[in-house]
Amino acid sequence: QVQLVESGGGLVQAGGSLRLSCVASGSIFSINTMGWYRQALGNERELVATITSGGSAVYADSVKGRFTISMNNTKNTVYLQMNSLKPEDTGVYYCKSDITQRGYTFRYWGQGTQVTVSL
């Protein structure tokens, strides 16, 4: 079994910054990708950013230039540095990871961490 534990959410004023972290633990052979999704109240869950173990990153257009995703392979940890935050960035941020175990790839999700950006 694998657990993803997020941290770093909170309340911040518009223009401020937050750094999210997500640690994967458990029976892990290798991590293929890790990433962040978010869900605002009443909306679908949407991609924020993902990164492969090789360092290739993909960002949603709405966060390009403001957010940076990074990964520490030795610590099985992914980070999301969020700068110039806007009220529309408010939502629950979920960590996601595609992990290889016993020759198969499984997708895991964290419990989510709330990010609230006030005017």
Side-chain angles (χ1 to χ4, degrees), residues 50-96:
T50 63
I51 187 168
T52 68
S53 58
S56 296
V58 174
Y59 294 91
D61 288 342
S62 59
V63 306
K64 283 180 182 176
R66 300 188 297 121
F67 291 10
T68 303
I69 190 169
S70 60
M71 185 170 163
N72 184 321
N73 293 327
T74 59
K75 294 183 178 181
N76 292 338
T77 302
V78 65
Y79 305 95
L80 185 68
Q81 178 65 44
M82 305 186 293
N83 298 327
S84 302
L85 282 160
K86 303 175 181 179
E88 51 263 44
D89 294 318
T90 294
V92 179
Y93 283 67
Y94 296 92
C95 177
K96 180 220 76 174

Side-chain angles (χ1 to χ4, degrees), residues 22-66:
C22 172
V23 181
S25 63
S27 180
I28 299 171
F29 177 74
S30 68
I31 293 178
N32 301 328
T33 66
M34 295 190 80
W36 294 93
Y37 287 67
R38 68 186 179 192
Q39 188 167 18
L41 197 62
N43 288 359
E44 300 278 326
R45 191 173 297 188
E46 63 177 5
L47 168 73
V48 176
T50 63
I51 187 168
T52 68
S53 58
S56 296
V58 174
Y59 294 91
D61 288 342
S62 59
V63 306
K64 283 180 182 176
R66 300 188 297 121

Side-chain angles (χ1 to χ4, degrees), residues 8-12 16-20 80-83 85 114-117:
L11 172 64
V12 65
S17 298
L18 283 174
R19 188 190 193 212
L20 305 183
L80 185 68
Q81 178 65 44
M82 305 186 293
N83 298 327
L85 282 160
Q114 177 71 43
V115 172
T116 303
V117 184

